[in-house]
Amino acid sequence: KLGPRTYRLTKGGFTACVQPTPRWEVVASSVTLNLDRYAVLRNSVLQVKGIPVFYLPVMYYPIQEDDRATGFLIPTYGASTFRGQMLSNAFFWAINRSHDVTFFHDWFSQTGQGTGSEYRYVLGGGSQGFARTYFLNEQLIETGPARTDAPPTQRRSYEVRGDMRHRFSDNVNARGQIDYFSDITVQQTYHNNIFEASRSQRSFNGNVAGTWGTYQLSSTLDVNETFFGDRQSTLWGAGPRINFGQGQWAIPRTPFYFSFNSEYARLLRQTTVKPDQPGEVTVDSGLDRFDFSPTLQIPFTKWRFLTINSAVAWRGTRWNES
């Protein structure tokens, strides 16, 4: 015991396995343990079923009660025929109890390097979200015969993912989602996950909605694009789509109730084809639409045992193109 909450273990270690004989453990020549803060290991060795696998001369391991601590994460190493040697590092920053961010850096010996970050937050009232960005800078480095599968030199691409829900007030809420990549060939080449490598759709959408008494207003952006190979894609959605309506409102001195709903939408429809020659061909079939529908409701409530509701409605739709 070195202090009120500080201890030193000689030839000790730790493991999270619950088996009588642990399947893995980390042993060290000495461990300085500061309770509920951190542990510093010297000459640490990761053992799997008694076989040493990895050695670190010094290792800092946080042991806070909330399991969150600022510092560098354990690096990862790999190799592939396309990327060559791979080394990935990450730094985690615990900003406070509600916010944190992780920074990434990947190095590929044959294709270049990538950087990125992931931000997360949790607030009260159902407000939370995350955003992840990744930028890849590819630069061909040939170490032997010409590679037929090599990417073009100086190709740059990016990927953005995120999901957000935010409550501004009791009557105004917003949400957003993005899953977007700039190059379909990079998406299919660099992801090790089969689902991600085979995914051919990118999208982003957002919505802001509010209510004020009997009135409702919302604005939505929804864009989706599906790729067919790497030379053709189809885009569809709406941007923007604005809805404005009123709930049932009692007309003074009458037994009638009035309500209406209206919508303006810019409908997106676009096909892009990249021929073998430089350039691309885009066919834009999008158009504008405006829709308005008022309703007059006439309830019959004179009898307690029977209620009859009748309504008269009209709907008009206008398109800016046939």
Side-chain angles (χ1 to χ4, degrees), residues 30 90 122 193 291:
S30 67
V122 176
N193 184 284
D291 189 89

Side-chain angles (χ1 to χ4, degrees), residues 5 36 38 60 68 81 89 102 105 118 145 172 177 194 199 213 237 243 253 260 276:
R5 300 181 62 82
D36 297 328
Y38 63 86
Y60 177 93
R68 299 170 70 251
T81 56
N89 295 278
T102 304
H105 178 264
E118 182 174 353
V172 180
Q177 183 270 337
I194 296 178
R199 190 163 55 93
N243 292 87
R253 300 179 182 179
F260 74 90
D276 295 334

Side-chain angles (χ1 to χ4, degrees), residues 213-267:
T214 60
Y215 295 98
Q216 306 95 33
L217 176 64
S218 68
S219 178
T220 304
L221 174 67
D222 184 21
V223 180
N224 304 272
E225 187 174 7
T226 300
F227 289 86
F228 305 94
D230 61 344
R231 296 184 178 276
Q232 183 176 353
S233 65
T234 299
L235 182 144
W236 77 97
R241 184 190 299 270
I242 301 175
N243 292 87
F244 178 65
Q246 181 189 40
Q248 290 186 351
W249 171 70
I251 301 177
R253 300 179 182 179
T254 67
F256 304 147
Y257 291 85
F258 175 77
S259 63
F260 74 90
N261 185 59
S262 61
E263 180 189 70
Y264 164 78
R266 171 61 182 174
L267 302 180

Side-chain angles (χ1 to χ4, degrees), residues 27 62 83 93 116 155 224 241 257 276 288 291 297-298:
V27 298
R83 287 165 285 187
W93 180 20
R155 182 173 67 172
N224 304 272
R241 184 190 299 270
Y257 291 85
D276 295 334
D288 296 333
D291 189 89
Q297 188 172 4
I298 310 171

Side-chain angles (χ1 to χ4, degrees), residues 69-229:
T70 300
F72 287 95
L73 306 182
I74 297 178
T76 60
Y77 169 81
S80 73
T81 56
F82 180 78
R83 287 165 285 187
Q85 310 286 334
M86 299 178 294
L87 182 63
S88 301
N89 295 278
F91 179 82
F92 177 78
W93 180 20
I95 302 174
N96 53 39
R97 295 181 59 186
S98 303
H99 303 262
D100 61 59
V101 62
T102 304
F103 300 97
F104 308 97
H105 178 264
D106 299 326
W107 173 79
F108 311 113
S109 63
Q110 293 185 173
T111 57
Q113 58 182 331
T115 58
S117 63
E118 182 174 353
Y119 169 74
R120 296 163 294 267
Y121 75 94
V122 176
L123 303 177
S127 299
Q128 61 182 17
F130 82 94
R132 179 187 176 96
T133 60
Y134 188 80
F135 298 90
L136 181 63
N137 184 9
E138 294 178 278
Q139 184 173 1
L140 177 60
I141 303 176
E142 293 191 15
T143 58
R147 299 168 54 215
T148 59
D149 63 339
T153 58
Q154 298 296 328
R155 182 173 67 172
R156 290 179 171 84
S157 59
Y158 63 89
E159 181 180 359
V160 182
R161 292 187 180 183
D163 185 85
M164 180 272 293
R165 292 175 176 83
H166 195 80
R167 184 178 182 183
F168 293 99
S169 63
D170 293 338
N171 58 336
V172 180
N173 295 274
R175 65 172 182 84
Q177 183 270 337
I178 184 171
D179 191 349
Y180 193 88
F181 50 83
S182 62
D183 196 314
I184 183 64
T185 59
V186 173
Q187 177 77 12
Q188 296 175 350
T189 302
Y190 277 84
H191 278 283
N192 295 323
N193 184 284
I194 296 178
F195 173 78
E196 296 294 342
S198 61
R199 190 163 55 93
S200 59
Q201 181 175 331
R202 61 185 182 184
S203 64
F204 58 91
N205 57 73
N207 172 263
V208 178
T211 58
W212 295 270
T214 60
Y215 295 98
Q216 306 95 33
L217 176 64
S218 68
S219 178
T220 304
L221 174 67
D222 184 21
V223 180
N224 304 272
E225 187 174 7
T226 300
F227 289 86
F228 305 94

